[in-house]
Amino acid sequence: MRRRPVMVVVIIVTLTLFLSGCEKEKEASGIEEISLEETAESGETEEEDLSGETQEEDTEESGEEPGSIFVYVCGQVAAPGVYELPGDARVYQAIEMAGGTLEGASPESLNLAQQAEDGQKIYVPTEEEAQTGAALQDTMGGAQDTASDQEAGKVNLNTAGLEELMTLTGIGQTRAEAILAYREEEGAFRSPEDIMNVEGIKEGIYEKLKDEITV
């Protein structure tokens, strides 16, 4: 009869220990679940931040790409010709692209900090020309010629871009690109007839467009 109370006490102690162990396991499990949820949320936040940074970088890069312009650099430079420059280029950069100035040149007579414009003629005079004002007359004369050509509806082979060249009779994109390539390799056209030196353009095409072009 005395064994029964002892057994009851043992059973009660065993149940108490078992129940307390289960509660600890539940608490530990809850901590692990919270930890996993916090890790997942922090990972999603980092991905969103990285995605936002990538989009901002792409936007900044796209905003840093200015368009291209073509300028004709001539006079006292090492390599006169038509050059392609970034849209925000300055006059001094165009002269550098042409190999720099020759001995006896007077680049200080130009505004080297001026922003270059598409189709612009940049003439570097000699010191003598700068003193007599001949360079200014040449530059003004070139501007007047360009204006008169535009009024007459003619396309200047030395300053026209790809799209403008494609407006000529018989000139598609391939031939227009060939004209630009010739300009870069051989320099400026000296006469309208020189267009026949471009690959793919012969006398027949020239006869169709000779009244549409000038240099």
Side-chain angles (χ1 to χ4, degrees), residues 10-69:
V10 171
I11 292 171
I12 292 172
V13 172
T14 302
L15 289 173
T16 301
L17 293 173
F18 177 77
L19 291 174
S20 63
C22 289
E23 289 178 354
K24 289 181 179 180
E25 289 179 357
K26 288 181 179 180
E27 291 176 356
S29 175
I31 292 172
E32 291 177 355
E33 290 176 357
I34 291 172
S35 176
L36 289 173
E37 289 176 358
E38 291 177 350
T39 303
E41 290 176 358
S42 64
E44 291 176 356
T45 303
E46 290 177 358
E47 290 179 358
E48 290 175 359
D49 292 342
L50 289 173
S51 177
E53 291 176 359
T54 302
Q55 291 177 355
E56 290 178 358
E57 290 175 358
D58 291 341
T59 302
E60 291 176 356
E61 290 177 358
S62 63
E64 292 176 356
E65 296 181 356
S68 296
I69 61 173

Side-chain angles (χ1 to χ4, degrees), residues 14-185:
T14 302
L15 289 173
T16 301
L17 293 173
F18 177 77
L19 291 174
S20 63
C22 289
E23 289 178 354
K24 289 181 179 180
E25 289 179 357
K26 288 181 179 180
E27 291 176 356
S29 175
I31 292 172
E32 291 177 355
E33 290 176 357
I34 291 172
S35 176
L36 289 173
E37 289 176 358
E38 291 177 350
T39 303
E41 290 176 358
S42 64
E44 291 176 356
T45 303
E46 290 177 358
E47 290 179 358
E48 290 175 359
D49 292 342
L50 289 173
S51 177
E53 291 176 359
T54 302
Q55 291 177 355
E56 290 178 358
E57 290 175 358
D58 291 341
T59 302
E60 291 176 356
E61 290 177 358
S62 63
E64 292 176 356
E65 296 181 356
S68 296
I69 61 173
F70 290 88
V71 297
Y72 177 38
V73 187
C74 56
Q76 301 302 302
V77 292
V82 176
Y83 292 93
E84 181 179 4
L85 297 169
D88 58 353
R90 305 288 173 172
V91 169
Y92 80 90
Q93 292 174 304
I95 294 174
E96 289 178 353
M97 285 288 291
T101 59
L102 301 176
E103 184 178 358
S106 179
E108 62 273 9
S109 62
L110 302 175
N111 182 0
L112 299 178
Q114 181 183 357
Q115 186 167 344
E117 299 178 359
D118 187 44
Q120 182 179 2
K121 177 182 179 180
I122 300 174
Y123 181 84
V124 180
T126 63
E127 293 178 353
E128 183 179 356
E129 288 174 333
Q131 291 174 358
T132 60
L136 179 60
Q137 293 178 1
D138 182 87
T139 302
M140 293 179 61
Q144 292 172 355
D145 290 342
T146 300
S148 62
D149 292 338
Q150 291 176 347
E151 291 175 359
K154 292 187 177 182
V155 174
N156 191 314
L157 296 177
N158 290 324
T159 60
L162 180 66
E163 294 182 357
E164 189 176 3
L165 290 171
M166 290 173 62
T167 63
L168 296 171
T169 302
I171 302 298
Q173 182 173 349
T174 301
R175 286 172 177 160
E177 290 175 347
I179 292 172
L180 295 177
Y182 178 89
R183 248 172 25 192
E184 292 178 1
E185 295 173 3

Side-chain angles (χ1 to χ4, degrees), residues 187-198:
F189 291 90
R190 298 183 181 224
S191 66
E193 291 84 357
D194 286 347
I195 196 173
M196 289 186 287
N197 296 328
V198 177

